[in-house]
Amino acid sequence: MSAHDSAQVRQHMDRLAADGIDVVRVTYPDLIGTDRARDVLLDHLPSACDHGLAFCRAVYHTSPQGDVVDVAGGLDAGLPDICVRPDLSTLTPLPWEPGVAACLGDVTDPATGAPAPESPRDLLRHVLDQCAAEGIEPVVGPELEYFLCDPAPGSPTGWQRYAEAPGNVYTAGRRGDPDGHLLRTLRRLRALDIGASMGNHEFSSGQFEINLTHSAALDAADRAFRFKSAVKELARAEGRLATFMAKPFNDEGGSGFHVHVSCLDGDGHNAFADPAAPHGLSATARHAVAGVLAHAPALTALLNPTVNSYKRFGPDTLAPWLVDWGLDNRSAMVRIPPERGAGTRFELRLADASANPYLLLAGTLAAALLGVRAGQEPPAPLEGYGYDTTRAATLPMTLPAALDAFEADTALTDVLGKGFTAAFLAYKRDEVARFQRHVTDWEFTEYAHHL
């Protein structure tokens, strides 16, 4: 660490100490977007910045149940290290944990000094570098939904939806939120300074949506990652469960992760806006939308990344399962909101809330970039209510089919990189295999008493 870097670290330490902070939590996303972390006492921050923090690389390949999946570079290599250095530009105090500030970590492979191929944050950086080479700077606004659950010890899962009551669709206040969860969460997120702007009770009982402001794509992904971690942490502190699982309940809809995407040109103007063009959309906008449509089957693997994700799809769910786009049409996979000029953008409605924000944006922007490079044009926009298989192609309807589509789309995987692609496919195919071996409650109920 240079003398200049050392002086900057000391400035951060002095500021933190003056605010009563004596611990820095260094976090980074694993392959599925779970936060991995280590708490560093403030006096040891210079060492963490200089030498980095050693983590086992196989943490990228660890399942939600703690199993280490056999992905190249992990078990086969003897479980080597990755090196995580604090990104002090992302330091922020944790409002609900006195004396603790958190920051993101930058991940490298000690053997090469290069980013680890499975690092989601670096994958997005890699795609953004390619966007920059085309003279465009993506801007993203994330919207996420989640369910809040209360303990239910006698139930099969141990959890039940918070504030069970139908009909509280798009409301605020105590009618659908008797304990004031949303207001309490919004205020704590405001103090975290991640751009939380507004929220409401969503369609289903116990379901909420909180919007984040728009910003440059990497910053937007960072904020969405920290948002998901914060909401889950706040719920745990109250003895509750906040889940971003795609469809946690049979009798309710699922949770989405919509992203609003625009691009700035070299002069800082919205590259998607052209008042003289059809629908007010520039050639760049049309090409970007066409790229997303063309690579949608492969994108499904990244944006709907679990076995459970595909139980969210189906007619009249408002979860897109056809490849289409429309003008201010919420039944389309890609919606063009009505604002034009500086507000011109597309809303991709495909992803569910379980998606890793970095992989969601890396894949979406890679697909848009391919459309821009190729000068692709989209078909005519959807008119009227969608979900008509005679008018649009169907997306993959299972995770195995989506993984096959992802592997087959070599144009997209070439942009993302072979190292990431191989790791993601190996990890997710192991997940499918484990699910296919598991005997579910449905199978027992369906068969045990009659066969």
Side-chain angles (χ1 to χ4, degrees):
M1 186 163 54
S2 69
H4 174 71
D5 291 338
S6 180
Q8 285 191 326
V9 172
R10 176 52 59 184
Q11 288 175 357
H12 283 293
M13 292 174 65
D14 290 344
R15 176 173 58 84
L16 293 173
D19 291 337
I21 291 170
D22 65 345
V23 170
V24 173
R25 180 166 299 161
V26 183
T27 68
Y28 64 98
D30 69 4
L31 203 55
I32 60 174
T34 299
D35 52 312
R36 306 291 178 173
R38 185 168 297 162
D39 285 341
V40 178
L41 290 169
L42 190 58
D43 291 345
H44 293 268
L45 186 61
S47 176
C49 293
D50 192 12
H51 303 291
L53 305 170
F55 284 82
C56 180
R57 180 176 170 183
V59 74
Y60 282 126
H61 319 144
T62 302
S63 79
Q65 297 301 309
D67 303 308
V68 178
V69 180
D70 189 8
V71 174
L75 287 172
D76 66 321
L79 301 172
D81 275 350
I82 53 172
C83 181
V84 181
R85 285 185 170 82
D87 178 355
L88 298 183
S89 70
T90 65
L91 266 174
T92 186
L94 292 181
W96 55 88
E97 196 144 8
V100 179
C103 71
L104 299 174
D106 286 323
V107 182
T108 56
D109 181 345
T112 64
E118 303 95 328
S119 171
R121 199 168 183 234
D122 288 293
L123 177 70
L124 179 53
R125 282 174 169 150
H126 172 65
V127 173
L128 291 173
D129 286 343
Q130 296 177 72
C131 290
E134 294 290 333
I136 54 177
E137 178 187 343
V139 175
V140 176
E143 298 177 355
L144 286 118
E145 299 168 349
Y146 63 93
F147 278 92
L148 184 69
C149 301
D150 282 326
S155 71
T157 63
W159 298 95
Q160 63 186 10
R161 290 188 292 268
Y162 159 73
E164 184 73 42
N168 293 315
V169 179
Y170 305 141
T171 63
R174 301 296 170 132
R175 181 171 49 152
D177 182 13
D179 190 42
H181 160 78
L182 180 63
L183 282 180
R184 188 165 57 251
T185 302
L186 278 173
R187 286 167 174 150
R188 286 173 171 170
L189 293 175
R190 176 180 60 194
L192 189 61
D193 195 26
I194 57 169
S197 60
M198 61 190 74
N200 58 267
H201 185 283
E202 251 294 335
F203 202 94
S204 302
S205 295
Q207 188 183 42
F208 297 89
E209 177 178 310
I210 293 179
N211 297 346
L212 304 178
T213 56
H214 63 275
S215 69
L218 181 61
D219 179 69
D222 285 343
R223 292 184 296 109
F225 167 65
R226 299 178 93 162
F227 165 78
K228 293 177 75 172
S229 298
V231 168
K232 289 183 283 187
E233 191 78 355
L234 289 168
R236 289 187 190 105
E238 297 181 351
R240 288 174 164 147
L241 172 70
T243 180
F244 292 87
M245 183 177 172
K247 185 176 168 60
F249 303 104
N250 280 314
D251 59 344
E252 287 285 10
S255 293
F257 185 167
H258 301 165
V259 288
H260 293 250
V261 179
S262 62
C263 284
L264 302 179
D265 62 21
D267 297 321
H269 300 136
N270 190 322
F272 283 1
D274 184 351
H279 314 303
L281 301 175
S282 71
T284 300
R286 298 194 309 274
H287 300 335
V289 168
V292 171
L293 297 175
H295 298 280
L299 283 179
T300 308
L302 299 175
L303 277 58
N304 303 272
T306 71
V307 170
N308 175 258
S309 295
Y310 297 83
K311 297 174 181 179
R312 173 176 164 264
F313 287 175
D316 301 319
T317 62
L318 291 183
W321 50 282
L322 298 179
V323 182
D324 51 17
W325 74 289
L327 303 171
D328 198 15
N329 190 330
R330 282 182 171 81
S331 66
M333 187 189 81
V334 178
R335 167 180 171 256
I336 308 298
E339 293 87 353
R340 292 295 182 268
T344 309
R345 63 195 186 276
F346 70 77
E347 178 192 15
L348 180 59
R349 300 173 58 82
L350 175 59
D352 67 63
S354 70
N356 181 332
Y358 298 97
L359 304 191
L360 188 169
L361 292 187
T364 300
L365 298 177
L369 177 64
L370 288 168
V372 171
R373 285 176 175 171
Q376 290 175 284
E377 291 288 345
L382 171 70
E383 293 186 4
Y385 193 57
Y387 307 110
D388 181 350
T389 55
T390 66
R391 293 193 288 169
T394 304
L395 288 162
M397 296 300 284
T398 66
L399 181 57
L403 294 172
D404 289 344
F406 180 66
E407 184 174 30
D409 192 337
T410 54
L412 184 71
T413 59
D414 282 350
V415 175
L416 298 175
K418 290 181 171 55
F420 164 77
T421 299
F424 182 81
L425 287 170
Y427 181 92
K428 283 295 169 180
R429 283 184 169 143
D430 178 86
E431 180 178 325
V432 170
R434 287 186 287 113
F435 174 75
Q436 290 174 338
R437 291 193 299 267
H438 184 73
V439 179
T440 66
D441 293 343
W442 183 91
E443 291 168 279
F444 190 91
T445 300
E446 185 78 3
Y447 304 127
H449 297 285
H450 305 287
L451 299 180

